[in-house]
Amino acid sequence: MQILGAVLESVGEPAPFAASRPLTVGPLELDEPGPGEILVRIETAGVCHSDLSVVDGSRARPTPMLLGHEAAGIVEAIGPGGSDVAVGDRVVMTFLPRCGRCDACASDGRLPCPAGSAANSAGALLRGGVRLHRDGQPVAHHLGVSAFASHAVVDRASVVRVDPDVPPDVAALLGCAVLTGGGAVVNAARPAPGQTVMVVGLGGVGLAAALVALALGHHVIGVDSLDAKLEHARACGVQETSTPEQLLDTGRTAPMVIEAAGHPRAFETAVLATAPGGRTVTVGLPSPDARAAISPLLLTAEARTIIGSYLGSAVPERDVPRYAQLWREGRLPVERLISARITLGEVNEAMDALADGRALRQLIHLDGDAGEQPEHERKDQHAHV
Ligand SMILES: [Zn+2]
Ligand SMILES: [Zn+2]
């Protein structure tokens, strides 16, 4: 079938992307879903730092690639052999498919599935190969999803079914920002009831970590160098906020510290702000060349632990319904992560807003046919958060 999608043509175009336009929106050919795969009509797709990391070259991926991995949509067709999801179901995309048969999948979410990771690096689906073509040439998938498009064919393992009362904007956020940030708290840090949780870096993932910690009754300290992000965190209920400089001046520490900025300086700040005996969880994705300086003596003499967490050490089938239930109970207002609603045609501008730190989550709304909304329905204000 013909679909509309936003394709990254080449890596490393200079910012501002509104001028260099590394992504082009146009028609592509999408294959039928194969065995174990499904066709999803995308309703909402969030613009995440992991998309920007491919655009700016800090995560090496093949091009051309149809970007987008944080999304929700409706199942439109099932591949040969059937599935346990049905046509009409709403599904959340998750960005690391699990084969379900290896040691990593058998343990829990701490170890990424090697087969899923290999497929993601190759820009392929879990069962191999691409389902996207343009002018007869293959187009790579992003993280098994490729959701900046009217439709996507994905492996069944790349989706989690959600109840229809969870609206597409909320559902999309559960698949990346909430799964990653929340998982850093509940799966990796595992704070005891009442323990203080500090979050360094208050972008989409960091704020999601803070919201999940608040939902579970923890006192939360938010740290960011941008005043607007600290203000927004306070408006979301974060009890204490600080810039990294203030934090080092005051010597404030916490037993559980989440680093969600993906920057080596933020990682150093997070380690220094971890109390003796405490845990530092790093969930941000820095460039492969980034190096941090920490004292090994801090680890031994103060009995600290540093934990790396990918995708929030999540088991999506287990974790997404838990977050959906917290949202349903009014305890996890994930809507606070949304800073703008945009159209597919504004995806290059959205990358600039994310790179500048102006945006939290910008949600692309797709209508399933043309992938663009009428002009009068556009809400393209970029809130300064
Ligand atoms: Zn993401
Ligand atoms: Zn596996």
Side-chain angles (χ1 to χ4, degrees):
M1 70 184 288
Q2 183 166 302
I3 64 163
L4 193 72
V7 174
L8 177 68
E9 305 291 349
S10 62
V11 165
E13 292 294 327
F17 304 121
S20 61
R21 306 202 81 71
L23 291 122
T24 54
V25 176
L28 294 96
E29 274 301 315
L30 181 65
D31 296 347
E32 302 278 307
E37 295 173 352
I38 58 174
L39 169 69
V40 179
R41 173 173 60 80
I42 306 294
E43 297 174 292
T44 299
V47 182
C48 167
H49 249 281
S50 301
D51 299 300
L52 178 62
S53 297
V54 179
V55 174
D56 70 16
S58 53
R59 292 285 277 177
R61 298 289 181 198
T63 54
M65 174 177 270
L66 203 165
L67 290 186
H69 60 281
E70 180 182 80
I74 301 292
V75 177
E76 281 208 335
I78 307 284
S83 178
D84 62 330
V85 294
V87 170
D89 281 353
R90 176 164 290 140
V91 290
V92 173
M93 304 292 197
T94 67
F95 64 82
L96 179 59
R98 292 158 60 84
C99 76
R101 294 183 301 275
C102 69
D103 287 347
C105 288
S107 58
D108 57 16
R110 279 175 303 159
L111 302 173
C113 170
S117 298
N120 282 356
S121 296
L125 294 192
L126 184 61
R127 278 153 228 257
V130 300
R131 311 292 175 263
L132 289 163
H133 303 274
R134 195 176 52 176
D135 305 325
Q137 297 299 311
V139 172
H141 295 262
H142 187 215
L143 300 175
V145 176
S146 289
F148 292 168
S150 57
H151 298 77
V153 164
V154 300
D155 198 279
R156 165 65 184 91
S158 294
V159 304
V160 176
R161 207 192 73 83
V162 289
D163 288 332
D165 68 316
V166 182
D169 285 7
V170 169
L173 294 167
L174 296 184
C176 175
V178 177
L179 208 57
T180 306
V185 177
V186 300
N187 295 325
R190 297 168 171 266
Q195 267 189 325
T196 295
V197 175
M198 181 186 293
V199 181
V200 179
L202 295 170
V205 169
L207 190 60
L211 291 176
V212 168
L214 289 169
L216 299 175
H218 296 281
H219 182 88
V220 176
I221 308 172
V223 181
D224 201 287
S225 50
L226 293 176
D227 282 338
K229 288 199 165 150
L230 298 179
E231 240 170 71
H232 186 64
R234 284 193 295 272
C236 293
V238 170
Q239 295 95 339
E240 270 184 74
T241 59
S242 174
T243 64
E245 296 71 29
Q246 289 165 349
L247 193 70
L248 297 178
D249 284 351
T250 59
R252 183 80 166 102
T253 62
M256 300 291 158
V257 181
I258 315 290
E259 180 277 308
H263 192 281
R265 300 294 87 74
F267 176 67
E268 291 165 352
T269 299
V271 172
L272 289 174
T274 305
R279 287 181 209 138
T280 315
V281 175
T282 177
V283 72
L285 280 177
S287 114
D289 305 326
R291 295 290 179 274
I294 58 167
S295 158
L297 183 65
L298 283 182
L299 301 186
T300 42
E302 299 190 356
R304 302 168 186 232
T305 307
I306 297 176
I307 299 171
S309 174
Y310 187 66
L311 180 51
S313 316
V315 178
E317 291 279 351
R318 176 195 69 197
D319 296 354
V320 166
R322 290 183 185 170
Y323 298 127
Q325 184 56 26
L326 283 174
W327 170 82
R328 195 174 282 119
E329 291 167 8
R331 296 162 64 191
L332 185 60
V334 299
E335 296 89 343
R336 304 303 296 258
L337 300 172
I338 303 168
S339 59
R341 290 181 170 88
I342 62 173
T343 63
L344 195 56
E346 295 168 298
V347 67
N348 286 296
E349 288 77 3
M351 293 294 165
D352 286 325
L354 195 59
D356 296 350
R358 275 179 287 147
L360 282 173
R361 274 304 195 261
Q362 306 168 87
L363 297 185
I364 299 173
H365 280 191
L366 297 129
D367 67 10
D369 297 319
E372 289 185 51
Q373 290 176 297
E375 193 72 24
H376 67 273
E377 284 182 13
R378 288 170 47 168
K379 302 184 200 83
D380 54 359
Q381 74 285 7
H382 286 275
H384 284 250
V385 294

